[in-house]
Amino acid sequence: MKRLLPIFLLLWAVQSFAQEPRDSAFAEMKDSMSSLSIKPVKHPKKLLGQIIERLHEDLKETHKTRRYLVEGTFRKSNFPPFYVKGIYTVEGDNGLEIIRGRADRDNITLEDFSYDEPHELSSQDTTSLIGDLAELLNFSPAHASHMYYQVYYPPAPFVYYSETTRWYDIKAYEIEYGPNKGAYRIQLDKKKNRYLWREHDHEFWLDNYKVTAYFDRNTLRITQFKGETASEIAEYPFNIGSTGSTRFLIDYDNMGGKPVLKRIVFISTRDPDHTTTEKGLVQIIPE
């Protein structure tokens, strides 16, 4: 049941920004638990293929202007953590890729940019912080281009069917929670075999990665996505232990019958020895 209602991570993370989170898309299930039904999908890879196809169709869509509040708490070297925020406006995007890699990241403009660092920052430091905030927008479950610049987030798992089926153990469940109400839950667990890599793969043998994604049963469009990755070098050629972890939870709104980003909660611990942490929140601003 915890997998069905993954709001605990969201509550814990968003409270760090002293904000009251809204219920996720699955909160409505609380009123229909008596009719809840969860059963495994007989052919999970077939469903995965259909979902990847649906995602890539949605990448061709365009949407009207939306505004996002982007907040982050960063720790640089040995300095105390500090809070940064700004507002990003996006127009004509596909709803899933809010920014598209390095080019967008380096040219991003934020309104109302501010920070609580007690010392005045140089223009170079300010540009760097704006880039850090931009990275919080830099996630999509699938990409129009397979080559994609990423820093904070692990590789998107729904780009190529052949690659996903090689790199992940796949489980799928059908969830019914009321009359004509249902969802599919896809669980991907990265395989431990480090020799899966092939030329042109986006994945690599570093990182342990688990994701869970929910899709509307009727349209196969994504509604929620969460994941956790532990960065480590293990098994081959040597084991140096964990170098950090990342957790994220993403909700999508339905606009015109198509998914658009609603919220991202992001938490990363990159260097446990120095307790270097980064937290981020991306929240759509209602019209």
Side-chain angles (χ1 to χ4, degrees):
M1 194 63 65
K2 291 181 180 179
R3 292 179 178 175
L4 180 59
L5 300 171
I7 62 175
F8 299 104
L9 170 62
L10 177 64
L11 291 172
W12 170 67
V14 178
Q15 283 174 353
S16 67
F17 291 94
Q19 294 189 5
E20 184 68 23
R22 300 177 182 177
D23 292 337
S24 75
F26 290 94
E28 63 185 82
M29 294 183 188
K30 293 179 180 179
D31 298 327
S32 55
M33 286 299 176
S34 59
S35 61
L36 183 66
S37 170
I38 304 176
K39 58 183 180 181
V41 173
K42 291 183 179 180
H43 303 289
K45 290 185 178 180
K46 179 180 179 181
L47 175 62
L48 174 68
Q50 294 170 337
I51 283 171
I52 289 178
E53 183 177 353
R54 175 75 273 170
L55 281 167
H56 282 272
E57 286 298 315
D58 287 334
L59 287 171
K60 300 175 184 178
E61 301 288 344
T62 57
H63 294 274
K64 63 180 182 180
T65 302
R66 303 186 311 284
R67 300 172 76 233
Y68 290 94
L69 175 64
V70 189
E71 303 174 302
T73 299
F74 303 101
R75 183 192 300 269
K76 299 292 186 181
S77 301
N78 295 321
F79 294 100
F82 56 95
Y83 170 79
V84 185
K85 71 174 181 178
I87 294 175
Y88 181 65
T89 300
V90 60
E91 181 178 9
D93 70 315
N94 55 45
L96 299 174
E97 291 179 308
I98 306 305
I99 65 174
R100 298 192 183 192
R102 186 61 182 262
D104 282 0
R105 184 250 192 214
D106 289 346
N107 293 285
I108 195 170
T109 299
L110 296 179
E111 304 170 44
D112 299 329
F113 174 75
S114 63
Y115 53 87
D116 67 0
E117 165 64 32
H119 305 290
E120 184 175 354
L121 298 179
S122 67
S123 59
Q124 183 177 355
D125 289 336
T126 299
T127 300
S128 176
L129 283 177
I130 291 175
D132 286 336
L133 282 181
E135 289 292 353
L136 295 173
L137 292 159
N138 193 13
F139 186 83
S140 174
H143 302 301
S145 172
H146 187 50
M147 298 302 295
Y148 198 77
Y149 172 78
Q150 292 175 235
V151 173
Y152 288 172
Y153 299 101
F158 299 107
V159 178
Y160 284 151
Y161 172 82
S162 61
E163 193 171 327
T164 301
T165 53
R166 275 193 292 111
W167 277 96
Y168 295 94
D169 292 318
I170 302 163
K171 295 180 181 179
Y173 299 87
E174 182 179 4
I175 303 168
E176 185 173 333
Y177 53 94
N180 299 318
K181 293 182 179 180
Y184 288 115
R185 183 176 75 212
I186 300 288
Q187 296 173 203
L188 304 178
D189 190 352
K190 195 165 184 180
K191 296 177 180 179
K192 301 301 185 285
N193 184 342
R194 308 296 180 174
Y195 300 94
L196 293 165
W197 187 85
R198 296 179 186 175
E199 188 177 4
H200 306 305
D201 272 4
H202 192 69
E203 289 282 4
F204 45 89
W205 60 273
L206 303 178
D207 296 351
N208 291 320
Y209 185 23
K210 296 181 180 181
V211 300
T212 301
Y214 293 89
F215 301 85
D216 181 86
R217 186 176 61 182
N218 296 320
T219 65
L220 297 184
R221 287 192 159 104
I222 192 166
T223 59
Q224 192 173 79
F225 186 40
K226 68 174 184 176
E228 180 173 1
T229 179
S231 300
E232 60 181 25
I233 298 177
E235 297 181 17
Y236 176 82
F238 48 80
N239 188 339
I240 65 171
S242 175
T243 60
S245 65
T246 295
R247 284 180 285 177
F248 60 87
L249 176 62
I250 304 173
D251 286 321
Y252 296 90
D253 259 334
N254 184 314
M255 292 187 179
K258 303 172 184 66
V260 299
L261 177 67
K262 176 183 179 182
R263 171 180 49 215
I264 300 175
V265 177
F266 171 86
I267 298 175
S268 176
T269 302
R270 296 219 168 184
D271 186 349
D273 292 336
H274 296 87
T275 61
T276 300
T277 59
E278 294 168 340
K279 299 177 183 179
L281 176 67
V282 177
Q283 182 80 43
I284 195 168
I285 299 175
E287 296 181 351

